[in-house]
Amino acid sequence: MKLYFGNSTTTITTILLFALLGFMGYTIWHRADIEFWGRRSLFLAFFGLLICCFATARDGLDKTIQCAIDGSCAPGIFPLISFPNLIGCVGAALILIAGIATLFSKGQQTREIWFYVMSGGTLLKIVTLEIARVVL
């Protein structure tokens, strides 16, 4: 429980993660009723970015980078070159590509597909990082 509710940053991150997963699940479950996929994608991108900021603070990625640059502090929970950080970058690339592609998509069906790509990247990041946190 301390991993997810140990302090205010971990608690907020956990609550936001559940809210994001709920939003993605609700959207996919009610996909036939959705008319504006661009709005959903925009919300997913910005809300996901907010959660990324909290998760980065929670896991100490800023400290890991600072430690790699000048060694002036202890690193965060993941090394700079590690599987969770690599998968996080791949997921972020998927989200970024899908977000930009959504801006230039003309039809709702194409925007829906990009929403699923963005959701897949988000889910990949969440699952990988949370499993890695539990294992460590």
Side-chain angles (χ1 to χ4, degrees):
M1 281 310 253
K2 187 177 178 185
L3 266 178
Y4 297 102
F5 298 102
N7 59 35
S8 61
T9 304
T10 57
T11 302
I12 291 170
T13 305
T14 302
I15 292 168
L16 290 175
L17 281 172
F18 281 124
L20 182 67
L21 291 172
F23 170 75
M24 289 180 350
Y26 179 84
T27 299
I28 292 169
W29 187 263
H30 295 294
R31 63 186 171 271
D33 302 330
I34 296 172
E35 295 178 23
F36 302 107
W37 284 96
R39 293 178 188 170
R40 296 277 174 163
S41 296
L42 181 67
F43 181 78
L44 179 62
F46 283 115
F47 196 53
L49 178 62
L50 175 71
I51 294 171
C52 260
C53 293
F54 275 98
T56 297
R58 173 196 70 188
D59 297 339
L61 185 59
D62 56 330
K63 294 175 186 171
T64 300
I65 294 170
Q66 184 177 351
C67 179
I69 292 172
D70 62 11
S72 64
C73 65
I77 64 172
F78 300 122
L80 188 59
I81 307 299
S82 64
F83 185 73
N85 282 344
L86 175 68
I87 295 299
C89 290
V90 169
L94 281 173
I95 294 166
L96 182 64
I97 290 167
I100 292 171
T102 300
L103 292 173
F104 295 104
S105 298
K106 302 251 187 234
Q108 292 300 317
Q109 188 174 16
T110 308
R111 289 181 179 153
E112 180 181 0
I113 292 168
W114 285 119
F115 176 86
Y116 294 137
V117 171
M118 199 178 307
S119 294
T122 302
L123 197 59
L124 176 71
K125 287 177 68 166
I126 291 171
V127 168
T128 302
L129 288 173
E130 297 309 317
I131 288 174
R133 287 182 73 228
V134 169
V135 170
L136 289 177

